[in-house]
Amino acid sequence: MEGSKRGLYEIELFKEEGFIRKKCIKCGRYFWTLDPEQDVCTDQPCGEYTFIGHPLNPSLSLSHIREKFLQFFERHGHVRVKRYPVVARWREDVYLVGASIYDFQPWVTEGIVPPPANPLTISQPCIRLTDIEKVGRTGRHLTTFEMMAHHAFNFGKISTYWNNETVRYSYEFFTRELGIPREEITYIEDWWSGGGNAGEDFEVIIKGLEVATLVFMHYKVIDNKIHPMRNYIVDTGYGLERIFWLLTGAPTVYDALFGDLVEVLRKKAGVEKLEKKMLEDISKYAGKFDIDIPEIEREVKTKLASKYGYELEEFENLLRPYEVIYRLLDHARALMFMLGDGIVPSNSGEGYLARLVIRRCLKDILLLDLPFDLVHIVDLQIEKWRRDFPEYLEVRDVVAEILSIEAEKFKRLIERGKLVVKRKVLGRRGKRAVSYDDLVELYDSHGIPPEIVRETLSREGVVIDIPEDFYSRLAKRHETAITVPREEKWLENLKEKLKELPPTETTYYELPEETELKAKILKVLDGGRIVVLDKTIFYPEGGGAESDRGLLRGENFEARVVDVKKINNVIIHICENQRGKPYEGSEVTCVIDQARRRAIMRAHTATHVVLGAARKLLGKHVWQAGAHKSEDRGRLDITFYRRLSEKDILEIERETNRVVLENREVNIYYMDRNKAEQKYGFVLYQGGVVSEKVLRIVEVDGWDVEACGGLHCTRTGEIGLVKIVRSERIQDGVERLEFVVGEAAVKYIQDMDIKLRNLSRILSVDTEKLDAKVQELVSEIKALREKVSELKGELVAMEVESLVNQAEKLGPFRIIVKQYNGDRYSLEDLREIAFKIRDQYGNTIAFLYNDKLPMAEFIVALGEEVLSSITADIIREKLTERSIRVVGGGRRHFLQGRLAPMAPKKIVEILIAVLRNCLEKG
């Protein structure tokens, strides 16, 4: 490989311009420079930032730099490509776009589809959360950045360009377009890997700042091992924000990027303005040292504190508000992209990552008691970038609503969370250490940030350490998509047996109305249970739609087809109720259940129409999260940030049926993947990623368009009535809609009508007045329940008085033991009686149980005065010592649950002995 590397690093421009190859005396990497005296690569930490305070071209705005870059490459034969969304809908392995090459992986990089243009140029917003802790502290780290890039794809005989041209373009762009002095540019030889590919690269360093990476990608990474590719791809990345910072010479990248907003938030928060020189020094030091190592960060800050005449703690307190303001502005910009591109915060997938960023912001605002909310900060970012990204103005209100809901959830979580923290850490076993896994569990299961855990426990005298990279670790754990579950083992085993067979010829797309087809048997497996044909009319399960069913008929053979599956390109028919045996080479007739197929077609087409209605009424952030289409009903799962209201459901239903009645055309056609994406965007992949070069497009005219392999009606009118019968929140951020279609919808309405008429007869009232009658009955029942509750309260009071009068005295205390038989009192009733005794008579222990063997339900309640001598935990331990296993939970002042089987009299004797022993010792 070394020879390959050297060849890639020997560049014509270096010879022409007089660049010298040298080895860095600090890091050992090779680099190219025009300065014969330069002995370090100048990258951090070998060099230092020399541009801070020394602007190179402050007149250029961020937008101007982006446009200069794109126009430069257009002049050099590149086609400008529109930016992709930050959520990678076209990929199955990652959730967020972390580099511009992600836009073209794996379909283009693996040669499955041609690139949208070749060569091309793009400016792609990216999100990386792996360094999220460093944001705000180092002066240079961002979670969101624009990667300006130019890409060239060399496939087989197609040779676009390679390393020489790539380096020349970078040199000319920086020197001629941006006016950077040629002697300030250093090229470092290195290696890059990401998104499943790898290759040698040059890092472009100017005045100590890395501003671009030029990758010569020709390897694929599988299981951390590299394998040569047939394709040679130029993958470059120019950091727009980094270049802007370089040209402005600002103290930090945050000041360059958010300058005016930094001042707005600083003034609102009442934060003291820091000296510009101090901020410059912090960036320089942070760039030179690995500031995420606590010891080094402390050493760096100690030196700076001393330089400016502060004690370390005083200096850190001075910096902290600035770090938070920088962080909030960065994270708010990330949320503008994430929420604006359709991510709904949740506890999984890309939604988890969005919520992580949101809660990190809310935590900062809470802990510093800042006088503004996250909605305001994100809105400031949308306003600031309105010319660059005007599309986010359209979703401004939705983004604000999402953030408001998340803030309210966070507030409730914190209130509950403090109790959870105390219970887990300060529970019955007393104070204990808090591990990293504890912090992860508290965050993932309860939504409690580690800083809140630390603040809560500090008041209890418990000190915890939060790993410096806590949030980065969380993001890394969740940044890749969950692998799709493997197929059933028997299907996996079939692949080997089917690999020699030719692809099955299909007719269900071309002839969806045909009911019969003659075919030849190619393979019989599992004693005839599985049959493979040379061609088939049966539609296999896929895209959430169930398969066709029907019959296979041959000479002296017949079987019922109960399922059909596609394994690679071979379709298998799973059969039951066989008569006779199928033989390889014999002819059969395929007969499908056409009524079932039509029902599923209607449900599948209805799914597209319902989704279109949901997106139209609820917003473009609605995305299909799952679907199922059967003969009886359809199911559609959609991402949404709140529960659907009854009004939402009715409006979706009305809008769906309006489109059905309009009898719109359902057009089905095939389209080149790139052309389809360019025309329709990534809304195509509502049903999931399609691994094809050519996409099968299903378009409900003027309403919905998706890449879909399902069978559909030709017009929406064929769907018939659509009735949404149920809605539920199946997981955080996902709403499920269940609906019936056509004849099934009519039957559903008829069944409901019969039920209403039956209720009318039972209640002796017209159906039109049924709701009023039911409301009247509900009111009567409520009044009766209140009366019963009142009477029950009186009975409980009488029972309490009776029990206290019969209590056995033991010194200053009273012991009540009462056995109840039958159903007179439930455990809930016993709890109410016991708690009233506990609250009214502090010197009393009440043990009440309902003898329902083999397990006796019980409650033990201890008054406040008794707790000085005994607690519920001690009672549990003493019972355990006597081999009485207590099943159930409790607190310090009560114990409840069930007692393992034992004669009631024996239990009472043991319990009284335990109580006496504890109280007498007390």
Side-chain angles (χ1 to χ4, degrees):
M1 186 184 292
E2 183 59 32
S4 169
K5 286 184 178 181
R6 280 295 294 122
L8 280 171
Y9 295 141
E10 291 175 349
I11 304 297
E12 293 173 357
L13 179 129
F14 291 166
K15 295 177 183 178
E16 295 170 10
E17 297 291 324
F19 277 83
I20 307 165
R21 186 173 188 254
K22 306 190 76 175
K23 185 174 183 178
C24 180
I25 62 173
K26 292 187 177 180
C27 70
R29 291 189 296 175
Y30 288 97
F31 64 92
W32 295 82
T33 179
L34 289 168
D35 182 2
E37 303 299 319
Q38 185 178 325
D39 54 8
V40 295
C41 63
T42 72
D43 190 16
Q44 308 301 308
C46 302
E48 64 178 47
Y49 296 148
T50 58
F51 67 93
I52 293 178
H54 303 285
L56 291 173
N57 193 346
S59 63
L60 288 178
S61 69
L62 194 91
S63 301
H64 287 145
I65 296 169
R66 181 196 299 116
E67 193 57 30
K68 269 183 170 289
F69 180 89
L70 296 173
Q71 288 182 2
F72 171 81
F73 282 98
E74 282 180 316
R75 291 197 303 272
H76 287 84
H78 294 65
V79 175
R80 184 188 302 210
V81 173
K82 185 181 177 183
R83 69 103 170 174
Y84 285 43
V86 297
V87 53
R89 304 284 188 192
W90 58 94
R91 296 186 60 166
E92 294 179 323
D93 55 335
V94 296
Y95 295 119
L96 301 176
V97 174
S100 62
I101 195 64
Y102 279 35
D103 298 347
F104 314 108
Q105 291 172 317
W107 316 110
V108 175
T109 56
E110 293 189 11
I112 299 170
V113 301
N118 194 15
L120 62 83
T121 185
I122 189 171
S123 188
Q124 174 61 44
C126 302
I127 294 181
R128 292 183 191 172
L129 303 180
T130 48
D131 288 323
I132 193 170
E133 267 93 1
K134 299 178 184 179
V135 174
R137 292 163 51 207
T138 64
R140 75 179 186 278
H141 280 96
L142 297 167
T143 57
T144 305
F145 58 94
E146 275 190 71
M147 183 177 284
M148 302 188 299
H150 63 98
H151 297 286
F153 304 91
N154 302 289
F155 300 129
K157 295 180 180 179
I158 299 174
S159 180
T160 310
Y161 62 79
W162 194 227
N163 56 340
N164 281 306
E165 295 87 344
T166 301
V167 173
R168 188 177 299 277
Y169 286 143
S170 71
Y171 182 77
E172 290 181 1
F173 173 71
F174 283 118
T175 57
R176 296 181 185 177
E177 297 296 316
L178 300 184
I180 306 293
R182 57 196 289 273
E183 61 274 9
E184 297 287 358
I185 303 177
T186 298
Y187 290 89
I188 302 174
E189 299 175 7
D190 213 323
W191 175 266
W192 181 90
S193 179
N197 297 109
E200 299 83 356
D201 75 11
F202 280 116
E203 292 178 1
V204 184
I205 313 296
I206 298 175
K207 287 183 167 287
L209 183 66
E210 182 184 347
V211 290
T213 305
L214 316 176
V215 182
F216 311 116
M217 179 190 293
H218 56 117
Y219 296 102
K220 187 174 180 179
V221 181
I222 304 173
D223 296 329
N224 294 321
K225 294 180 180 178
I226 63 169
H227 304 269
M229 294 195 309
R230 288 175 298 174
N231 308 325
Y232 288 74
I233 300 165
V234 171
D235 170 26
T236 67
Y238 290 67
L240 175 58
E241 291 82 0
R242 287 279 187 95
I243 294 171
F244 183 52
W245 182 24
L246 172 79
L247 297 181
T248 61
T252 70
V253 71
Y254 317 113
D255 292 291
L257 195 57
F258 310 123
D260 52 341
L261 296 185
V262 172
E263 279 300 290
V264 168
L265 296 192
R266 183 190 68 77
K267 290 176 180 177
K268 283 189 176 183
V271 173
E272 179 184 346
K273 188 175 178 66
L274 295 182
E275 292 181 41
K276 183 179 177 183
K277 187 70 173 68
M278 184 188 295
L279 293 172
E280 291 177 349
D281 281 347
I282 291 168
S283 291
K284 289 178 180 178
Y285 272 83
K288 201 167 180 61
F289 297 99
D290 195 357
I291 202 167
D292 60 339
I293 299 175
E295 295 77 13
I296 295 179
E297 181 176 16
R298 186 176 180 84
E299 180 183 341
V300 168
K301 287 186 175 179
T302 299
K303 289 180 180 178
L304 287 173
S306 176
K307 177 178 179 179
Y308 288 97
Y310 294 103
E311 293 296 324
L312 177 60
E313 184 177 354
E314 184 183 9
F315 187 65
E316 287 182 326
N317 290 336
L318 198 65
L319 295 182
R320 191 169 295 113
Y322 255 80
E323 292 174 351
V324 169
I325 288 171
Y326 288 154
R327 183 160 62 235
L328 285 173
L329 288 169
D330 166 85
H331 289 9
R333 187 169 181 246
L335 291 171
M336 176 187 77
F337 283 108
M338 296 172 90
L339 304 183
D341 282 356
I343 297 179
V344 172
S346 68
N347 53 17
S348 63
E350 65 270 16
Y352 177 96
L353 298 173
R355 180 167 283 168
L356 184 148
V357 177
I358 290 170
R359 289 186 174 171
R360 197 161 146 76
C361 294
L362 295 173
K363 173 265 302 179
D364 279 339
I365 292 169
L366 175 67
L367 291 179
L368 284 182
D369 192 24
L370 296 175
F372 39 73
D373 60 26
L374 183 56
V375 174
H376 174 65
I377 306 171
V378 175
D379 197 63
L380 287 175
Q381 291 287 25
I382 292 174
E383 184 62 32
K384 179 177 177 63
W385 303 103
R386 63 185 300 158
R387 289 189 179 85
D388 299 81
F389 304 99
E391 58 269 31
Y392 295 136
L393 292 171
E394 299 175 20
V395 294
R396 197 173 195 168
D397 293 341
V398 171
V399 169
E401 187 177 358
I402 291 173
L403 292 171
S404 296
I405 290 171
E406 286 296 304
E408 188 57 36
K409 284 182 181 178
F410 184 75
K411 182 181 176 182
R412 293 197 300 268
L413 279 172
I414 296 305
E415 291 170 357
R416 263 197 331 265
K418 291 178 180 179
L419 297 175
V420 173
V421 171
K422 289 179 181 180
R423 187 172 70 246
K424 287 187 72 69
V425 180
L426 308 175
R428 70 170 64 106
R429 301 187 184 280
K431 298 177 182 178
R432 66 177 181 83
V434 181
S435 67
Y436 168 76
D437 289 339
D438 290 330
L439 294 176
V440 171
E441 182 189 349
L442 287 167
Y443 182 87
D444 276 352
S445 300
H446 304 283
I448 311 165
E451 295 85 355
I452 302 297
V453 177
R454 180 168 58 192
E455 182 191 47
T456 302
L457 294 180
S458 66
R459 297 168 186 169
E460 306 294 333
V462 179
V463 179
I464 68 167
D465 290 324
I466 303 172
E468 288 291 322
D469 60 346
F470 178 81
Y471 290 98
S472 298
R473 283 200 233 174
L474 281 183
K476 190 168 183 61
R477 283 177 51 172
H478 292 269
E479 69 182 356
T480 53
I482 298 171
T483 305
V484 177
R486 290 171 64 87
E487 293 176 327
E488 295 176 43
K489 191 172 182 179
W490 69 273
L491 284 175
E492 275 288 320
N493 294 337
L494 275 179
K495 288 185 177 179
E496 185 66 24
K497 298 176 182 179
L498 301 175
K499 68 179 184 180
E500 301 299 329
L501 294 179
T504 306
E505 181 184 338
T506 62
T507 63
Y508 43 77
Y509 285 148
E510 294 80 8
L511 303 168
E513 297 301 320
E514 290 291 317
T515 59
E516 294 188 13
L517 175 75
K518 291 190 181 298
K520 185 170 73 174
I521 296 177
L522 297 182
K523 194 86 171 175
V524 177
L525 299 166
D526 196 14
R529 180 172 169 265
I530 297 171
V531 177
V532 183
L533 308 174
D534 63 337
K535 55 186 173 181
T536 187
I537 197 172
F538 284 91
Y539 177 78
E541 177 187 3
E546 294 182 1
S547 71
D548 281 331
R549 292 179 187 172
L551 298 172
L552 290 182
R553 288 179 181 152
E555 188 176 353
N556 301 319
F557 165 72
E558 183 174 289
R560 176 174 165 76
V561 177
V562 294
D563 200 2
V564 185
K565 295 185 183 295
K566 189 174 184 179
I567 301 176
N568 294 331
N569 288 315
V570 176
I571 293 174
I572 65 169
H573 305 76
I574 301 168
C575 304
E576 287 182 359
N577 302 327
Q578 294 182 24
R579 181 180 58 80
K581 288 187 178 181
Y583 292 98
E584 294 177 5
S586 63
E587 188 179 80
V588 292
T589 300
C590 305
V591 182
I592 65 160
D593 181 342
Q594 186 69 347
R596 171 184 166 82
R597 173 182 282 186
R598 287 199 183 107
I600 295 174
M601 287 168 67
R602 286 194 289 268
H604 203 152
T605 312
T607 302
H608 288 231
V609 180
V610 172
L611 178 62
R615 283 175 61 82
K616 178 178 183 290
L617 295 166
L618 303 177
K620 292 180 180 178
H621 56 283
V622 167
W623 202 268
Q624 180 174 314
H628 184 77
K629 305 97 180 179
S630 69
E631 184 178 5
D632 300 321
R633 62 177 55 198
R635 186 187 75 214
L636 174 66
D637 301 335
I638 58 172
T639 57
F640 198 50
Y641 54 85
R642 60 168 171 81
R643 284 302 319 267
L644 289 177
S645 66
E646 186 176 341
K647 181 184 176 184
D648 293 328
I649 295 165
L650 290 174
E651 286 182 350
I652 291 170
E653 185 178 270
R654 274 196 293 268
E655 198 68 9
T656 297
N657 284 293
R658 180 181 67 79
V659 173
V660 169
L661 288 171
E662 288 173 353
N663 200 25
R664 299 190 185 203
E665 278 190 88
V666 180
N667 302 306
I668 299 175
Y669 49 90
Y670 291 86
M671 194 176 221
D672 172 81
R673 187 186 193 98
N674 285 321
K675 290 180 180 177
E677 288 180 353
Q678 289 167 14
K679 183 175 181 179
Y680 300 114
F682 300 101
V683 71
L684 282 170
Y685 305 123
Q686 287 283 352
V689 178
V690 181
S691 307
E692 301 291 343
K693 179 178 180 179
V694 177
L695 303 181
R696 182 174 184 265
I697 306 297
V698 176
E699 180 185 18
V700 179
D701 188 30
W703 190 251
D704 178 79
V705 59
E706 299 177 37
C708 180
L711 299 181
H712 293 272
C713 305
T714 57
R715 303 191 75 92
T716 60
E718 297 171 27
I719 296 171
L721 176 65
V722 179
K723 176 65 184 171
I724 298 175
V725 298
R726 189 181 179 199
S727 168
E728 64 174 324
R729 198 161 186 82
I730 60 168
Q731 70 180 65
D732 193 24
V734 179
E735 292 282 304
R736 171 166 290 173
L737 293 169
E738 290 188 21
F739 52 90
V740 284
V741 175
E743 294 175 11
V746 173
K747 184 178 184 304
Y748 175 85
I749 290 172
Q750 288 175 335
D751 289 344
M752 293 299 293
D753 186 59
I754 290 171
K755 290 177 182 178
L756 287 174
R757 291 178 187 277
N758 286 339
L759 279 173
S760 295
R761 282 194 292 270
I762 293 168
L763 299 175
S764 300
V765 66
D766 292 339
T767 53
E768 291 80 5
K769 299 177 181 178
L770 191 58
D771 56 342
K773 183 65 175 178
V774 171
Q775 185 59 51
E776 180 186 329
L777 290 172
V778 169
S779 299
E780 289 178 10
I781 292 170
K782 184 178 179 182
L784 287 172
R785 283 177 176 170
E786 289 174 356
K787 186 63 178 176
V788 168
S789 178
E790 183 182 332
L791 292 171
K792 185 178 174 182
E794 293 176 8
L795 286 172
V796 167
M798 291 169 63
E799 185 69 13
V800 168
E801 186 177 353
S802 173
L803 290 172
V804 171
N805 289 335
Q806 298 173 40
E808 180 181 348
K809 291 186 178 180
L810 184 62
F813 304 118
R814 287 182 288 196
I815 301 175
I816 295 172
V817 177
K818 177 70 174 179
Q819 171 186 344
Y820 295 91
N821 298 310
D823 298 325
R824 181 182 175 189
Y825 289 113
S826 66
L827 183 61
E828 185 178 340
D829 298 329
L830 298 186
R831 186 185 299 115
E832 185 177 354
I833 294 169
F835 283 4
K836 281 190 178 296
I837 293 171
R838 180 195 68 188
D839 296 340
Q840 294 174 19
Y841 303 94
N843 65 342
T844 305
I845 297 176
F847 168 57
L848 313 177
Y849 73 102
N850 196 333
D851 181 15
K852 290 184 178 179
L853 294 178
M855 298 290 274
E857 295 180 324
F858 76 94
I859 178 78
V860 178
L862 294 79
E864 195 64 36
E865 297 170 32
V866 178
L867 291 177
S868 60
S869 301
I870 188 173
T871 65
D873 282 339
I874 294 174
I875 293 175
R876 179 195 288 274
E877 290 172 8
K878 295 298 182 183
L879 288 173
T880 303
E881 289 173 6
R882 288 164 172 77
S883 301
I884 298 181
R885 185 170 60 90
V886 178
V887 181
R891 298 288 187 275
R892 185 167 173 263
H893 51 65
F894 79 93
L895 184 68
Q896 71 176 32
R898 294 180 176 183
L899 292 168
M902 184 175 286
K905 188 175 180 182
K906 185 66 175 175
I907 295 173
V908 173
E909 289 175 2
I910 292 175
L911 183 75
I912 291 176
V914 168
L915 296 178
R916 283 181 182 278
N917 181 263
C918 291
L919 293 175
E920 285 170 355
K921 287 184 177 180

